[in-house]
Amino acid sequence: MKSTLSKVKKMNGLITNRIIELQDQGYLYDFMSVGKQQFLCLQDSVCFHAPDVSIKLIDQLYDQVDKCYKYMHAVETASGCKGLLLEGRIYTN
């Protein structure tokens, strides 16, 4: 059981470490794209439209679970929420 758990913990270590690093910088919320130019904050279910968010590409990381590259973005909303968006494509504004 212990060896299986170790493998699971190491699967996306780079992504996890990068998320922790950015959380230490105040990026505490998680965002996802929910349509054309709309982004949902997963913690409070608030939807933001593209003009109300600033999105900056931070990194490209390999997702070992999905076996593809993901793009990590920093998101800042007009209301002051700071968070991360991890997607298979690049978003900019």
Side-chain angles (χ1 to χ4, degrees):
M1 172 95 175
K2 187 175 180 180
S3 64
T4 303
L5 186 58
S6 296
K7 288 179 186 177
V8 171
K9 285 184 181 180
K10 293 180 183 179
M11 289 291 286
N12 274 327
L14 290 175
I15 291 175
T16 302
N17 290 340
R18 193 69 168 117
I19 289 171
I20 291 168
E21 176 185 318
L22 290 162
Q23 286 175 335
D24 288 344
Q25 296 175 26
Y27 292 91
L28 303 176
Y29 294 91
D30 301 307
F31 288 87
M32 68 181 273
S33 173
V34 290
K36 202 167 193 167
Q37 305 294 316
Q38 294 183 336
F39 301 92
L40 178 68
C41 177
L42 299 177
Q43 279 76 12
D44 58 13
S45 299
V46 174
C47 191
F48 295 91
H49 297 276
D52 299 325
V53 297
S54 171
I55 300 173
K56 184 171 94 175
L57 179 63
I58 296 293
D59 212 340
Q60 177 189 38
L61 302 160
Y62 188 73
D63 184 341
Q64 294 186 7
V65 174
D66 290 337
K67 306 279 189 236
C68 64
Y69 282 95
K70 298 281 177 83
Y71 299 94
M72 185 174 292
H73 305 79
V75 177
E76 295 187 32
T77 69
S79 61
C81 293
K82 290 172 56 176
L84 301 172
L85 170 70
L86 188 64
E87 293 277 338
R89 63 174 276 212
I90 295 174
Y91 291 90
T92 59
N93 61 343

